[in-house]
Amino acid sequence: MSKSFVLRQQSRCWVEIDLSALERNLKLIRSALPAHIRYIAVVKADAYGHGMAQTVTRLMHCGADLFGVANFLEGAAIREIGSGWPILLLSSTLPEEDKQIIEYNLIPTVSTEEEVKRFSKLGKRNKRKIAVHLKIDTGLGRLGVWYEQALDLYKLIQENPNMNLEGIYTHFSSADSDPQFTNKQRKLFLQTLRGLPGFDPKRLLIHADNSAGLESFKNDDLFNAVRVGLLQFGVLPHFESLLSKLKVEAVLSFHSRVSIVKDLPSGTGISYGRTHILSRDSRIAVITAGYGDGIPTAISNKGSVLIHGQRCPILGNVTMDQTIVDITNLENIKSGDSVTFIGTQGNQNIDVKTFSNWALSIPWEVFCSITKRVPRIYYTGSAI
Ligand SMILES: *Cc1c(COP(=O)(O)O)cnc(C)c1O
């Protein structure tokens, strides 16, 4: 009996991750882009909850050129798997983390003069050049040097004997909601780049696009890399777009099981705070997953699950380990039956966007909220 089969049989709540779907998605995204575009696979936060080691291993085998992570611990985890891939730290590095850049051969992001000074010292101390990417803020108001001051910081880096500028990038604030502003950011970024003395896009990685950014990606000579997170996991930022032609597939599905089934009379209060009052004689099922597994309390009384291929509404508050659903209209539900929170059963599907809308959240947050109590079960196989 395979291990994943045993895990699934024994689990009260589990996630299934289809690594061949991940591979197909990456290949699809790459094939939609010009051939010279480098693919930075963004795998921060445990690869959006999909599992760093398994995801990264597969991405290494199927064509990721670089990896983007948030911090050195995530970078170190990738280094344990393979040494041949450049790893870009997308968040800034704290001063006491500087030495880890050397230890794990990571590429920090630079947004300030203070960072230039620190990385210069680091390079000098270790007798090597520190590879960096310069980040330019074109309107997110987070990391990056404000574009009007980018020239000065660029010069400082270029003149520094202990640093090696390998890339320049920016990040969009509203790529999935405001194409006009995204366009403005793109223009500001390109203008800024063109104003840099000695700027040579052939010697640098130039990137701006995250998943949603790709909607407005144009084959501009200056861009030669993209940073893809959500899309490779099979979630389209929009439905009405260029990208919707990309038939990416969901990589992750989220499952649980029925514990008990019982009949209750109309008027009974359900869950803590009696947050739902039955309006008819009902049959309920108690599901063995709750917010302790990453089911958001915000979907209380609002979301549904799939059992026997049918949608069953959630009744009352989601609790830490259990969720209650209405199965009055279903027959033959029994203890141990499979329940799907995110994924497909029969011809019914609940995708992560629907689920995150119920939770007034976003797919990124839903993925990151699946807790470590939940086993991840991996599938692989033909990626064709
Ligand atoms: C997380 C992140 C990405 C990836 O974003 P998606 O929308 O998931 O594709 C790209 N760039 C930066 C700087 C990020 O922090």
Side-chain angles (χ1 to χ4, degrees):
M1 210 185 293
S2 77
K3 188 169 172 227
S4 67
F5 181 75
V6 174
L7 259 175
R8 196 172 352 155
Q9 289 298 302
Q10 293 172 348
S11 291
R12 304 169 70 84
C13 177
W14 73 96
V15 153
E16 295 181 14
I17 290 156
D18 183 347
L19 292 171
S20 32
L22 176 69
E23 176 166 346
R24 284 191 292 272
N25 290 344
L26 180 142
K27 288 178 173 164
L28 211 58
I29 299 164
R30 286 211 80 141
S31 66
L33 293 167
H36 71 283
I37 300 289
R38 297 301 179 93
Y39 189 98
I40 306 175
V42 178
V43 291
K44 62 203 187 198
D46 201 28
Y48 293 39
H50 290 61
M52 179 75 97
Q54 293 84 352
T55 306
V56 163
T57 304
R58 189 63 171 235
L59 291 168
M60 281 176 173
H61 282 289
C62 66
D65 296 307
L66 291 86
F67 288 98
V69 294
N71 58 49
F72 84 84
L73 281 173
E74 295 176 344
I78 298 178
R79 275 290 165 258
E80 304 225 325
I81 301 167
S83 58
W85 283 259
I87 301 171
L88 175 61
L89 298 174
L90 298 169
S91 296
S92 58
T93 305
L94 292 170
E96 63 270 27
E97 296 171 337
D98 286 354
K99 55 187 177 304
Q100 323 288 355
I101 289 170
I102 300 285
E103 185 170 350
Y104 298 110
N105 190 19
L106 307 171
I107 304 171
T109 290
V110 172
S111 332
T112 67
E113 209 179 307
E114 184 233 302
E115 288 170 317
V116 172
K117 286 184 186 144
R118 268 172 38 207
F119 297 142
S120 171
K121 268 192 212 147
L122 182 71
K124 199 167 182 188
R125 236 185 357 253
N126 290 278
K127 299 195 175 55
R128 55 179 271 192
K129 285 190 166 212
I130 307 295
V132 300
H133 281 213
L134 168 64
K135 187 163 188 183
I136 299 178
D137 183 357
T138 54
L140 175 62
R142 196 174 64 181
L143 288 191
V145 58
W146 184 243
Y147 71 96
E148 288 167 309
Q149 284 128 34
L151 175 64
D152 291 341
L153 200 62
Y154 168 83
K155 281 191 196 151
L156 268 187
I157 298 172
Q158 289 293 47
E159 288 161 5
N160 194 299
N162 306 312
M163 290 171 88
N164 198 10
L165 183 66
E166 292 195 344
I168 306 183
Y169 73 108
T170 192
H171 195 36
F172 298 133
S173 67
S174 320
D176 51 3
S177 58
D178 188 345
Q180 272 174 342
F181 191 75
T182 305
N183 211 13
K184 187 177 157 198
Q185 283 191 274
R186 219 183 260 288
K187 277 199 184 133
L188 274 180
F189 181 57
L190 292 172
Q191 263 169 28
T192 308
L193 293 177
R194 291 198 175 97
L196 301 175
F199 170 73
D200 181 0
K202 292 203 175 55
R203 301 184 54 196
L204 295 167
L205 276 186
I206 305 298
H207 46 110
D209 293 270
N210 62 335
S211 297
L214 291 175
E215 308 228 9
S216 55
F217 183 88
K218 287 189 198 73
N219 191 6
D220 186 295
D221 285 336
L222 292 186
F223 290 114
N224 53 25
V226 294
R227 302 184 305 272
V228 181
L230 197 67
L231 190 62
Q232 68 196 349
F233 298 112
V235 186
L236 288 167
H238 275 273
F239 288 118
E240 315 290 326
S241 74
L242 264 182
L243 283 177
S244 63
K245 296 198 187 74
L246 272 187
K247 296 280 178 245
V248 289
E249 305 161 56
V251 171
L252 178 149
S253 57
F254 195 176
H255 309 271
S256 183
R257 306 175 78 193
V258 172
S259 58
I260 68 158
V261 170
K262 70 177 175 186
D263 295 321
L264 288 171
S266 178
T268 308
I270 302 290
S271 195
Y272 291 125
R274 306 175 73 240
T275 28
H276 180 88
I277 306 292
L278 294 178
S279 59
R280 56 175 180 176
D281 292 346
S282 302
R283 176 163 291 178
I284 61 149
V286 179
I287 312 305
T288 53
Y291 61 81
D293 303 287
I295 309 297
T297 54
I299 73 169
S300 300
N301 261 328
K302 202 165 161 200
S304 297
V305 302
L306 301 178
I307 310 177
H308 291 194
Q310 304 284 325
R311 284 196 182 219
C312 307
I314 293 172
L315 302 176
N317 279 348
V318 171
T319 69
M320 189 185 287
D321 312 305
Q322 301 172 86
T323 300
I324 303 144
V325 302
D326 181 9
I327 55 164
T328 311
N329 298 333
L330 274 69
E331 308 255 314
N332 303 324
I333 306 289
K334 55 185 190 314
S335 182
D337 285 355
S338 275
V339 176
T340 297
F341 279 93
I342 299 173
T344 302
Q345 274 195 12
N347 54 16
Q348 286 283 331
N349 174 265
I350 297 173
D351 64 20
V352 67
K353 276 187 172 170
T354 306
F355 187 88
S356 64
N357 282 339
W358 286 331
L360 303 178
S361 178
I362 51 175
W364 297 263
E365 187 181 15
V366 166
F367 285 149
C368 290
S369 304
I370 301 170
T371 63
K372 59 178 185 286
R373 173 161 92 178
V374 180
R376 271 69 169 167
I377 300 173
Y378 293 90
Y379 292 96
T380 182
S382 166
I384 296 156

